[in-house]
Amino acid sequence: MKEFLHQLKNRVLGGYLVTREDVASLLNISIEKQEELQELLKAANEIREKFCGNFFNLCTILNAKSGRCSENCRYCAQSAHFKTNAEVYPLVSKEVALEAAKEVELEGAHRFSLVTSGRGLQGKEEELDKLQEIYQYLQENTKLDLCASHGICSKEALQKLKDAGVKTYHHNLESSRRFYPSICTSHSFEDRVNTVKYAHEVGLQVCSGGIFGLGETEEDRIDMAFDLRELGVHSVPINILTPIPGTPLEKNEAIDPRELLKDIAIYRFILPKVAIRYAGGRVKLGDYAKLGLQGGVNSALTGNFLTTTGNTIESDKQMIKELGYEY
């Protein structure tokens, strides 16, 4: 395995795109064999250094509209289909959004995104108009790169967001095409794919990844990575399920952190040039989280997340500095 890993890494460094057959061999790496896992992480880190350098990107989000979502995503605290303790409130004002943005800008974040609950912006012209106003206000008063996360969108709505100053649209695939109907039936996997395509068509960069721990297999995670590669996304957030009481997945068992690190490292082989981003739930990695930053990860969602608490910006800055990153 060590020789195969070395050869495959060198081929990727030379521009080779790994195949499913290559990845099937990588999946045979045993997390019980520490040396094999360490070799995989080291190889993934070399690929990251070659194609992405040592710059580490920190992004932040504001839960700008919460609760009562019409969709039935089985992991989500904000779905109206489940009884959870998620807050419910309408779209925040531009003043509230700016206050949050200025705070994270001062702390050293690079990106800032508004995230709103709901299926998307179709038929919500008033909300879209307000979002445009907020993003224009943020663009005028901060130097942050602006991202947006507003569900399934038409090309026309995405163009309006871009015109208002948004640079990146966030829209996760969440899992594989095969597994997706097991976690959501109120919209399709193809709806998500189309939104990603529309975002690209209007000139936005795309941040799209998924959640590990929904009940999917390792093969499902790998299938999602190949879909993301085909879609040409720029950033891949890796979320780790935090089971929310009241949701259908509240009793899902945690995945071994070593398996998560292994799969993230394999993502780096499949997606050598993208930002692979720690996102929600990385606290589940415990002490292994730092090891992931030496195994392919080169960006992170930091600060408070949607309905769970994340790491502080200051603690993340300290950690990435210790590992030799620039930010």
Side-chain angles (χ1 to χ4, degrees):
M1 177 56 72
K2 185 174 182 179
E3 183 60 28
F4 167 78
L5 186 59
H6 179 72
Q7 290 178 357
L8 184 60
K9 175 202 69 178
N10 285 339
R11 293 179 73 189
V12 172
L13 292 175
Y16 172 72
L17 294 179
V18 298
T19 65
R20 290 178 184 273
E21 184 178 2
D22 295 324
V23 172
S25 296
L26 293 179
L27 286 173
N28 288 328
I29 291 173
S30 172
I31 61 173
E32 302 297 334
K33 297 179 180 179
Q34 184 176 354
E35 184 178 348
E36 283 193 9
L37 181 58
Q38 289 282 3
E39 286 291 336
L40 174 65
L41 296 175
K42 181 181 176 183
N45 201 45
E46 288 184 47
I47 294 170
R48 185 270 306 164
E49 287 179 332
K50 161 80 173 185
F51 292 107
C52 304
N54 286 323
F55 180 77
F56 199 97
N57 183 267
L58 292 170
C59 69
T60 56
I61 59 176
L62 172 65
N63 193 12
K65 174 190 169 189
S66 183
R68 293 180 182 166
C69 180
S70 63
E71 305 308 281
N72 65 358
C73 305
R74 291 165 60 84
Y75 52 83
C76 186
Q78 298 197 54
S79 171
H81 295 262
F82 317 128
K83 293 182 179 180
T84 69
N85 293 320
E87 285 187 89
V88 176
Y89 52 82
L91 186 64
V92 300
S93 68
K94 66 180 183 181
E95 290 80 14
V96 168
L98 180 62
E99 182 180 0
K102 295 295 284 185
E103 181 179 337
V104 298
E105 182 178 35
L106 187 62
E107 291 184 58
H110 304 105
R111 295 176 176 271
F112 180 75
S113 177
L114 301 179
V115 183
T116 54
S117 66
R119 178 185 176 91
L121 295 176
Q122 292 92 328
K124 297 181 180 178
E125 290 304 316
E126 183 179 348
E127 183 171 319
L128 178 56
D129 289 344
K130 288 181 179 178
L131 285 168
Q132 283 183 276
E133 182 183 358
I134 294 172
Y135 283 119
Q136 288 170 346
Y137 192 59
L138 293 174
Q139 184 184 41
E140 291 166 1
N141 291 283
T142 76
K143 295 181 180 179
L144 292 162
D145 285 336
L146 299 179
C147 308
S149 184
H150 306 299
I152 297 165
C153 274
S154 66
K155 191 187 297 187
E156 292 74 22
L158 291 163
Q159 182 66 60
K160 288 181 178 180
L161 293 174
K162 182 176 184 291
D163 293 343
V166 172
K167 290 187 176 180
T168 302
Y169 195 72
H170 168 260
H171 194 60
N172 283 343
L173 298 187
E174 302 301 15
S175 192
S176 69
R177 185 182 299 273
R178 181 200 70 81
F179 187 70
Y180 195 78
S182 298
I183 57 171
C184 181
T185 58
S186 53
H187 60 264
S188 69
F189 186 83
E190 202 61 33
D191 288 329
R192 290 182 173 263
V193 168
N194 286 337
T195 296
V196 170
K197 290 180 177 179
Y198 294 152
H200 275 145
E201 286 174 14
V202 303
L204 288 165
Q205 293 191 340
V206 175
C207 176
S208 181
I211 306 172
F212 290 179
L214 298 171
E216 79 288 347
T217 64
E218 276 193 292
E219 287 74 17
D220 286 314
R221 295 173 211 147
I222 297 308
D223 283 348
M224 181 174 73
F226 278 104
D227 279 334
L228 292 168
R229 187 174 80 179
E230 184 176 341
L231 287 167
V233 304
H234 297 80
S235 171
V236 176
I238 303 293
N239 297 272
I240 302 167
L241 180 69
T242 299
I244 303 294
T247 65
L249 303 188
E250 64 178 332
K251 294 184 179 179
N252 272 34
E253 292 186 8
I255 302 172
D256 189 313
R258 295 171 298 173
E259 181 177 314
L260 295 170
L261 290 184
K262 169 186 161 185
D263 292 344
I264 292 171
I266 293 174
Y267 264 52
R268 178 54 73 193
F269 273 79
I270 300 169
L271 300 155
K273 298 180 181 180
V274 307
I276 295 180
R277 188 177 304 276
Y278 270 157
R282 65 178 152 118
V283 67
K284 298 288 183 181
L285 289 169
D287 293 338
Y288 286 97
K290 185 179 289 188
L291 193 57
L293 299 181
Q294 299 168 291
V297 175
N298 68 327
S299 52
L301 174 62
T302 187
N304 288 340
F305 304 153
L306 293 182
T307 56
T308 58
T309 300
N311 297 56
T312 67
I313 296 175
E314 192 56 43
S315 66
D316 278 345
K317 283 163 56 178
Q318 182 177 345
M319 180 169 62
I320 62 179
K321 278 182 180 178
E322 289 174 357
L323 294 172
Y325 283 97
E326 303 166 1
Y327 73 91

